[in-house]
């Protein structure tokens, strides 16, 4: 479900991220950022990744502070949101 405060761009960003993840399975945050530019693109992409992580579709890893974030796609996994 899309919360009323979220825009249509958020929906498209999550759809893009899921399609990208289906193709690549495991990828870096930096690699995803090659598809766009600008501060707002980075922020919206990061928020989309966090949202996908919250639902269980993405698992993220980062070895050290400031290292690249590695994202793994978990197809078919989606946790129930707490009400």
């Amino acid at each position: 479900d899309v919360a009323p405060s979220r825009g249509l761009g958020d929906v498209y960003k999550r759809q893009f991220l899921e399609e990208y993840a289906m193709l690549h399975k495991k990828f870096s945050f930096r690699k995803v950022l090659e598809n766009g530019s600008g501060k707002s693109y980075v922020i919206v992409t990061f928020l989309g990744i966090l949202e996908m992580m919250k639902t269980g579709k993405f698992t993220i890893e980062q070895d050290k502070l400031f290292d690249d974030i590695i994202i793994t796609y978990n197809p078919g996994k989606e946790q129930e949101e707490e009400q």
Side-chain angles (χ1 to χ4, degrees), residues 20-83:
Y20 187 91
M22 282 187 226
L23 289 172
H24 300 281
K25 308 297 184 217
K26 191 171 188 173
F27 53 95
S28 73
F29 181 60
R30 284 191 182 112
K31 197 73 173 162
V32 173
L33 295 180
E34 291 176 359
N35 293 293
S37 64
K39 201 181 298 187
S40 63
Y41 182 82
V42 172
I43 292 166
V44 171
T45 301
F46 186 72
L47 292 175
I49 289 169
L50 290 179
E51 183 71 26
M52 300 293 278
M53 187 182 81
K54 180 180 167 187
T55 66
K57 288 189 177 187
F58 286 176
T59 303
I60 62 170
E61 304 169 46
Q62 185 180 34
D63 290 335
K64 293 184 235 167
L65 190 62
F66 302 114
D67 274 0
D68 200 2
I69 298 169
I70 304 301
I71 302 144
T72 304
Y73 180 55
N74 304 309
K77 284 194 175 185
E78 192 161 339
Q79 299 173 352
E80 293 289 322
E81 283 191 36
E82 294 183 29
Q83 303 269 337

Side-chain angles (χ1 to χ4, degrees), residues 1-11 14 47 51:
D1 292 340
V2 177
S5 62
R6 293 184 183 156
L8 198 52
D10 295 335
V11 174
R14 285 193 305 275
L47 292 175
E51 183 71 26

